Amino acid sequence: MMRLGALAVARRWAVAKTLTHSTHRVLYVPPVRFAHSELKTVSGSDFINKVNAKEPVVIFSATYCGFCRKAQRVVGQALPDTMKAQVFELDLNEQPSYDGMTTNVSDIRQALARNYAQHTVPAVFVQGHFIGGCTETVKAIDNGQFQQCLDNPVKRKNEE
């Protein structure tokens, strides 16, 4: 039993390693272990909103999902050279962390379903605009909506 668990972990890290060395402009950061007291636990909605406020492109994804890989590939190709997408692989870490905050994967999935009617991954955000899954992302890139969202960030309450 222990051997199978070790193989599964090794496979996940092999996938994570290949993601960091891909030719696409997609940034994947492997989970970092912090002392729990160093991180502030927030709700899934707050986590999504705060990440979207700081990152131009955010993708909530899973390593086992072909649609996620395709979405990451097309987004990476559509982005300018100076910009990268922040990717959260929800199957690699039960408590993803970002900028001193953390939440549970189940909270992120519930927030995506409740606030954006997105029950599956990938979930792509551009400058705070929710684009959708893989199919919607490809359509948005093809019809120019993706570039429009890149050029027009969502106005935040504290920016007005």
Side-chain angles (χ1 to χ4, degrees):
M1 197 66 145
M2 188 68 140
R3 185 175 200 131
L4 287 176
L7 284 174
V9 169
R11 254 188 263 140
R12 282 185 172 177
W13 282 109
V15 170
K17 188 174 182 182
T18 59
L19 288 174
T20 58
H21 298 292
S22 71
T23 58
H24 307 300
R25 289 181 296 275
V26 175
L27 175 66
Y28 169 75
V29 181
V32 178
R33 304 289 181 220
F34 291 99
H36 192 66
S37 61
E38 294 177 27
L39 296 174
K40 178 182 176 189
T41 302
V42 296
S43 71
S45 295
D46 286 345
F47 187 85
I48 292 168
N49 292 337
K50 289 177 182 177
V51 170
N52 280 323
K54 293 185 178 190
E55 295 291 337
V57 179
V58 179
I59 303 173
F60 292 96
S61 180
T63 57
Y64 59 80
C65 174
F67 291 109
C68 296
R69 297 281 78 76
K70 181 176 180 180
Q72 289 178 26
R73 187 180 72 246
V74 298
V75 166
Q77 293 168 346
L79 288 176
D81 291 338
T82 58
M83 194 179 291
K84 292 186 179 194
Q86 174 69 48
V87 177
F88 291 95
E89 297 288 359
L90 299 181
D91 62 324
L92 290 182
N93 195 356
E94 283 299 312
Q95 283 198 298
S97 59
Y98 177 82
D99 198 32
M101 62 183 169
T102 187
T103 191
N104 291 323
V105 167
S106 60
D107 290 346
I108 291 175
R109 287 185 176 270
Q110 288 173 0
L112 288 170
R114 184 178 54 249
N115 300 337
Y116 304 100
Q118 184 70 17
H119 298 274
T120 60
V121 289
V124 179
F125 293 85
V126 178
Q127 296 285 24
H129 299 278
F130 176 66
I131 301 296
C134 180
T135 305
E136 295 85 5
T137 301
V138 170
K139 284 181 186 175
I141 290 170
D142 289 344
N143 67 21
Q145 179 189 3
F146 185 87
Q147 188 61 43
Q148 234 177 2
C149 291
L150 274 178
D151 297 338
N152 302 308
V154 171
K155 294 236 187 253
R156 310 276 182 226
K157 289 179 184 176
N158 58 357
E159 293 176 358
E160 296 174 347

